[in-house]
Amino acid sequence: MNRAVVITEALGLLDEVGLDAVSTRRLANRLNVEQPSLYWYFRTKKDLLAAMAEAAMEPHATAPLPSPGDDWRDWFADNTRSFRRTLLMRRDGARLHAGTTPTGDLARLRRKMEFLVDSGVPERDAQMAMLAAGRFTVGSVLEEQADPGPGDDADLPADMPVIDHESAFEAGLALILNGLVHRTAM
């Protein structure tokens, strides 16, 4: 057993039982070890959850960085969609990610910000747009992952419209992007 195995098994447990049911006791049982042995790798459950969140974000964290010739608008939209796809890959992915600090991703974040600024986006607007897009995406995915879905909504009124989460996300992303384009043109 090593740290990577513990994280992989913890993410598997997350996908099976959901964030509320993830516990060090359950993880120890899954790994066929005594619960205190997990403390060799993670001092607290909070440390374990942070490591799980970082590992869960790996697909987005390894997505290609922007190149100087890329259109910043296309890149911004694609980057935000990549973040959403990654959060959706895990059960309760948005809840796991919410509130974490991307300490291992700071160089990539700087590179993304430099790209936007080099493309003509004012630095403060680039910062706020990245923050807004990130928070919008986490909130959208939180709602999507909490949606009971068709057939599980017996308590809802029959005339309640079904939400198309992807279309709603794309509409919100377009509003953020259009606002940034407008501010950049000023």
Side-chain angles (χ1 to χ4, degrees):
M1 187 168 75
N2 59 43
R3 185 177 170 92
V5 168
V6 174
I7 293 169
T8 298
E9 289 301 317
L11 288 171
L13 181 62
L14 171 72
D15 288 339
E16 287 176 18
V17 301
L19 188 59
D20 292 333
V22 170
S23 68
T24 54
R25 182 180 329 114
R26 276 188 136 148
L27 180 57
N29 287 341
R30 184 181 178 99
L31 291 163
N32 294 316
V33 299
E34 296 296 321
Q35 188 176 354
S37 67
L38 295 176
Y39 298 118
W40 176 260
Y41 304 102
F42 302 99
R43 291 174 19 130
T44 65
K45 182 178 177 184
K46 183 178 178 181
D47 294 340
L48 172 62
L49 292 173
M52 290 169 61
E54 185 176 339
M57 289 308 300
E58 186 71 18
H60 180 65
T62 57
L65 287 168
S67 299
D70 291 345
D71 181 280
W72 70 266
R73 295 164 290 267
D74 292 339
W75 173 83
F76 185 88
D78 290 344
N79 182 67
T80 307
R81 289 180 189 116
S82 168
F83 182 42
R84 177 178 180 265
R85 279 191 307 273
T86 300
L87 291 174
L88 286 169
M89 287 178 173
R90 295 280 174 192
R91 180 175 177 179
D92 296 331
R95 287 184 58 214
L96 177 66
H97 176 77
T100 61
T101 304
T103 55
D105 201 21
L106 292 179
R108 288 179 61 84
L109 286 173
R110 277 190 210 97
R111 179 104 179 267
K112 291 174 180 184
M113 290 300 302
E114 287 169 2
F115 169 74
L116 289 172
V117 171
D118 291 346
S119 296
V121 179
E123 184 173 2
R124 181 74 176 153
D125 289 345
Q127 290 171 347
M128 291 299 102
M130 290 290 286
L131 182 63
R135 290 185 173 175
F136 164 71
T137 302
V138 170
S140 294
V141 174
L142 279 169
E143 291 291 334
E144 186 170 352
Q145 290 180 326
D147 187 346
D152 294 335
D153 53 5
D155 296 334
L156 296 177
D159 61 345
M160 179 77 119
V162 175
I163 296 173
D164 176 353
H165 294 287
E166 182 141 1
S167 294
F169 174 80
E170 287 296 328
L173 175 57
L175 289 170
I176 293 169
L177 186 54
N178 290 340
L180 184 56
V181 168
H182 176 75
R183 289 197 47 97
T184 300
M186 292 173 67

